[in-house]
Amino acid sequence: MACVAQGDQDAFSVLYDAVAGTVFGIAVKVVRDRAQSEEVAQEVMIDVWRQAARYRPDQGSVMAWVATIAHRRAVDRVRSAQASATREHDVGVRGQERPFDEVSEQVESRLERDQVTRCLRRLTELQRQAVTLAYYQGLTYREVAETLQTPLPTIKTRMRDGLIRLRDCMGVTT
């Protein structure tokens, strides 16, 4: 990686041969569209080339670092596609020009807010702390772990369990 960071194309070629299959596999698994996955894999390899100097061997293996970049890029692609679809849907819905009832909208919003509050109270204190820090204060998992002085895997488990309980309490179906 040190050689890649210095712009060594031969070193990058060796790295590419070693990780390209894994990068593509991660992209296909997340994106689920071969053409999109190829684009994601290409973007990841460009990122690896450009960001090679950021790699820190004391924080994990090269493969783990590259796999993390691949997963994040693939998730970003999926989120972007979902956001685009949502925007298109919203534009279509707005085009139907249905009358807007501000009072019923406020009532519905308040009912939803009350339901979220009630469901948050059903979580354990530890789950509620983690979920609140992440979703109301915008902290990452790592920042939540640091704030609560708790190991990262423990925070991830608390958040996952808390979000599952919230989903069930809210009656959300997947």
Side-chain angles (χ1 to χ4, degrees):
M1 282 303 292
C3 293
V4 173
Q6 294 174 352
D8 185 333
Q9 292 180 0
D10 293 331
F12 181 72
S13 179
V14 171
L15 175 67
Y16 184 94
D17 291 341
V19 301
T22 301
V23 168
F24 182 69
I26 291 169
V28 167
K29 195 171 205 175
V30 174
V31 178
R32 297 188 177 168
D33 176 81
R34 190 169 183 82
Q36 293 275 336
S37 298
E38 289 172 357
E39 288 181 22
V40 167
Q42 184 178 20
E43 292 169 3
V44 168
M45 295 313 297
I46 291 169
D47 283 349
V48 168
W49 172 256
R50 290 179 179 161
Q51 297 178 20
R54 292 184 181 177
Y55 169 70
R56 299 288 175 254
D58 59 321
Q59 294 181 351
S61 69
V62 171
M63 185 59 82
W65 183 70
V66 172
T68 300
I69 293 172
H71 185 263
R72 287 180 180 161
R73 179 63 72 140
V75 168
D76 287 348
R77 176 64 61 101
V78 170
R79 286 180 179 158
S80 175
Q82 288 173 340
S84 177
T86 300
R87 278 192 305 273
E88 288 177 16
H89 175 265
D90 291 348
V91 167
V93 169
R94 273 189 242 127
Q96 293 177 357
E97 292 187 33
R98 65 174 192 242
F100 179 72
D101 184 352
E102 189 175 325
V103 173
S104 66
E105 184 75 24
Q106 289 174 354
V107 169
E108 186 176 324
S109 178
R110 178 140 192 239
L111 289 173
E112 287 176 359
R113 190 170 48 250
D114 291 346
Q115 184 179 13
V116 170
T117 302
R118 186 177 66 254
C119 290
L120 277 170
R121 286 188 197 123
R122 291 184 180 179
L123 300 180
T124 66
E125 181 60 30
L126 298 173
Q127 290 170 338
R128 187 172 35 258
Q129 282 178 326
V131 170
T132 301
L133 287 171
Y135 288 93
Y136 289 114
Q137 294 185 16
L139 301 182
T140 64
Y141 285 123
R142 186 172 307 284
E143 291 169 337
V144 170
E146 290 169 0
T147 300
L148 297 177
Q149 297 178 346
T150 305
L152 182 60
T154 302
I155 291 301
K156 288 182 177 182
T157 300
R158 285 180 191 167
M159 298 248 331
R160 184 199 53 176
D161 293 347
L163 290 174
I164 288 170
R165 289 179 71 181
L166 278 174
R167 180 196 65 200
D168 293 345
C169 178
M170 299 286 295
V172 175
T173 58
T174 54

